[in-house]
């Protein structure tokens, strides 16, 4: 009923606007109605261009003032995170400077050189010097950003096997994540989706006869030791997913039929991040919002109080429940990680 009333109201408003336009047209009978802009029109448009220039600058300043605090760009929790943040900040500064200058020139020139009767615009048919300048400057700036980005990317992706990084598999499927640790031998057992056996609880299709799979550990919550490099081997069972761990500045597509890889070293434990002033403020704000939805949250069986945790998210729209495809990540000390690992069941013992 509400939808029907809304449609009726919208129709009435549309009819009213149509009638107002007809009345306005009738009121213009006998007046000059030319489509050619005169000096008065050009002057108005010139002032409007200056007004819009002021508007976008004011909006930009207000955005920086009220919502310019971006703690995510200052709370990286991996070794390479600071480099990624630095690259992002440099790119944003360059974009902001270029945008400020070009928008000023665009709107100011539109005002200064607005059309006036009897004045002919000065123009260059060609100017090699100007063309060289506005071509070489973007080339130099973009080349610098690209080269810096490539060096940063290579530093992230080049894994030194001599450092003996921990190997973990991330397995994506609609709409959940599963992790598989490589065990004491630090070698993952072979796996194939054709070997999936739901009746035996072999949900990852791990080869049960592979010797390297006998000490693998399959879990639904990811634990990482702080200061230890981790190499993630990623697979997808069904569609394209993307493993996204924002605080670790890590993202890699999970592609059906192939294994992709990403590595990083966590540097901040979960408990340490929970004490970060930015995170504390953010958590307090979230809990204040959740109080307004207390009845709804309690009815759904969730805990009312939110507590910060690192998360593994899916950053590709993979289906109806994509928004809820996530897994908790806990970064802890090596001693805490070892104690947790001892409590886990190895792959052979997890089968039915």
């Amino acid at each position: 009923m509400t939808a029907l009333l809304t449609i009726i109201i919208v129709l009435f408003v549309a009819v009213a606007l149509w009638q107002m336009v007809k009345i306005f047209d009738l009121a213009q009978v006998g007046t000059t109605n030319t489509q050619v802009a005169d000096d008065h029109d050009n002057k108005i448009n010139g002032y409007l261009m200056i007004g819009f220039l002021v508007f976008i600058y004011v909006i930009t300043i207000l955005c920086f003032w009220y919502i310019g605090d971006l703690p995510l760009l200052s709370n990286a929790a991996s070794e390479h995170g600071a480099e990624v943040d630095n690259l992002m900040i440099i790119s944003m500064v360059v974009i902001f400077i270029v945008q400020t200058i070009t928008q000023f020139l665009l709107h100011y020139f539109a005002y200064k050189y607005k059309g006036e009767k009897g004045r002919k615009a000065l123009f260059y048919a060609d100017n090699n010097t100007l063309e060289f300048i506005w071509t070489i400057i973007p080339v130099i700036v973009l080349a610098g950003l690209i080269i810096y980005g490539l060096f940063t990317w290579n530093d992230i992706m080049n894994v030194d096997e001599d450092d003996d990084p921990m190997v973990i598999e991330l397995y994506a499927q609609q709409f959940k994540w599963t992790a598989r640790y490589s065990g004491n031998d630090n070698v993952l057992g072979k796996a194939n989706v054709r070997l999936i056996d739901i009746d035996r609880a072999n949900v990852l299709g791990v080869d049960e006869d592979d010797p390297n799979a006998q000490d693998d550990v399959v879990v639904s919550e990811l634990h990482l030791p702080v200061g230890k490099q981790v190499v993630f081997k990623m697979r997808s069972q069904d569609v394209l997913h993307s493993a996204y761990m924002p605080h670790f500045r890590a993202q890699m597509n999970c592609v059906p039929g192939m294994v992709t890889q990403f590595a990083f070293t966590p540097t901040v434990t979960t408990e340490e991040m929970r004490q970060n002033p930015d995170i504390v403020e953010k958590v307090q704000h979230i809990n204040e919002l959740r109080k307004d939805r207390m009845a709804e949250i309690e009815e759904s069986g969730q805990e009312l109080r939110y507590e910060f945790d690192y998360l593994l998210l899916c950053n590709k729209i993979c289906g109806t429940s994509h928004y809820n495809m996530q897994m908790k990540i806990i970064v802890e000390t090596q001693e805490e990680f070892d104690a947790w690992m001892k409590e886990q069941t190895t792959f052979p013992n997890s089968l039915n």
Side-chain angles (χ1 to χ4, degrees):
M1 189 63 182
T2 303
L4 178 60
L5 289 173
T6 303
I7 293 173
I8 293 173
I9 291 172
V10 170
L11 287 174
F12 276 126
V13 170
V15 171
L17 290 174
W18 178 52
Q19 292 295 332
M20 290 174 63
V21 170
K22 290 179 65 177
I23 293 172
F24 179 78
D25 288 340
L26 289 173
Q28 301 301 310
V29 173
T31 61
T32 303
N33 186 20
T34 177
Q35 298 298 315
V36 179
D38 55 20
D39 287 356
H40 177 70
D41 296 327
N42 292 332
K43 184 179 293 186
I44 291 176
N45 283 315
Y47 286 130
L48 287 175
M49 292 295 280
I50 291 296
F52 189 72
L53 176 65
V54 173
F55 170 76
I56 60 176
Y57 281 168
V58 169
I59 288 295
T60 301
I61 293 171
L62 290 177
C63 287
F64 273 111
W65 183 264
Y66 288 105
I67 58 176
D69 183 23
L70 298 174
L72 193 59
L73 284 178
S74 60
N75 292 323
S78 62
E79 278 191 358
H80 73 266
E83 282 295 312
V84 174
D85 287 354
N86 193 46
L87 179 60
M88 182 70 174
I89 291 170
I90 291 174
S91 300
M92 293 302 294
V93 168
V94 170
I95 291 171
F96 179 75
I97 293 174
V98 172
Q99 184 265 353
T100 302
I101 296 174
T102 55
Q103 289 299 318
F104 172 79
L105 293 175
L106 172 67
H107 291 81
Y108 176 72
F109 275 40
Y111 165 75
K112 182 174 178 60
Y113 299 104
K114 58 185 178 290
E116 292 182 1
K117 189 175 182 180
R119 184 172 72 173
K120 184 177 181 181
L122 175 65
F123 66 93
Y124 296 102
D126 62 84
N127 189 309
N128 293 336
T129 302
L130 283 177
E131 291 180 8
F132 175 80
I133 291 173
W134 68 51
T135 301
I136 197 65
I137 292 177
V139 167
I140 294 173
V141 173
L142 289 176
L145 288 174
I146 292 170
I147 292 171
Y148 180 27
L150 285 174
F151 275 108
T152 302
W153 180 250
N154 287 334
D155 290 341
I156 296 170
M157 298 305 294
N158 290 337
V159 179
D160 189 353
E161 298 296 338
D162 294 336
D163 295 336
D164 192 29
M166 178 188 297
V167 179
I168 301 175
E169 179 184 63
L170 291 179
Y171 188 77
Q173 64 186 113
Q174 296 174 313
F175 298 96
K176 62 179 289 190
W177 294 98
T178 307
R180 178 163 62 111
Y181 289 82
S182 52
N184 295 326
D185 61 2
N186 204 31
V187 179
L188 289 167
K190 295 178 182 178
N192 192 301
V193 291
R194 295 181 178 85
L195 300 177
I196 293 176
D197 189 340
I198 302 300
D199 294 333
R200 287 183 53 76
N202 186 358
V203 295
L204 303 187
V206 179
D207 187 348
E208 299 178 25
D209 297 325
D210 187 349
N212 292 324
Q214 304 311 304
D215 61 349
D216 288 359
V217 175
V218 179
V219 296
S220 58
E221 183 177 273
L222 194 58
H223 284 241
L224 303 175
V226 67
K228 176 71 173 178
Q229 188 178 37
V230 182
V231 176
F232 292 98
K233 306 288 186 177
M234 305 175 188
R235 290 192 295 142
S236 173
Q237 175 177 304
D238 34 51
V239 299
L240 184 66
H241 299 277
S242 185
Y244 177 45
M245 294 167 271
H247 285 90
F248 303 108
R249 308 299 190 263
Q251 178 170 316
M252 181 58 66
N253 286 345
C254 305
V255 185
M258 66 182 295
V259 177
T260 54
Q261 175 177 305
F262 198 96
F264 66 82
T265 302
T267 56
V268 183
T269 67
T270 299
E271 288 300 324
E272 289 172 342
M273 187 60 80
R274 286 173 179 171
Q275 304 305 315
N276 184 294
D278 290 332
I279 300 300
V280 170
E281 182 181 354
K282 179 180 179 181
V283 169
Q284 289 176 347
H285 178 62
I286 291 174
N287 283 324
E288 289 174 1
L289 296 176
R290 289 173 70 86
K291 287 179 181 178
D292 298 334
R293 301 173 54 231
M294 182 184 300
E296 178 185 346
I297 293 173
E298 290 179 345
E299 184 179 351
S300 65
Q302 302 177 41
E303 291 187 10
L304 179 62
R305 182 177 178 275
Y306 166 78
E307 188 174 47
F308 170 83
D309 277 304
Y310 295 121
L311 289 175
L312 164 62
L313 306 169
C314 178
N315 208 24
K316 284 286 186 294
I317 300 177
C318 56
T320 55
S321 294
H322 155 75
Y323 69 95
N324 203 33
M325 184 173 169
Q326 57 184 262
M327 182 166 65
K328 183 163 72 172
I329 303 174
I330 297 176
V331 180
E332 55 200 357
T333 64
Q334 185 68 52
E335 293 76 17
E336 292 171 328
F337 174 80
D338 292 338
W340 173 81
M341 185 60 76
K342 288 180 181 178
E343 298 174 356
Q344 306 309 307
T345 303
T346 57
F347 168 68
N349 294 327
S350 68
L351 298 174
N352 294 331

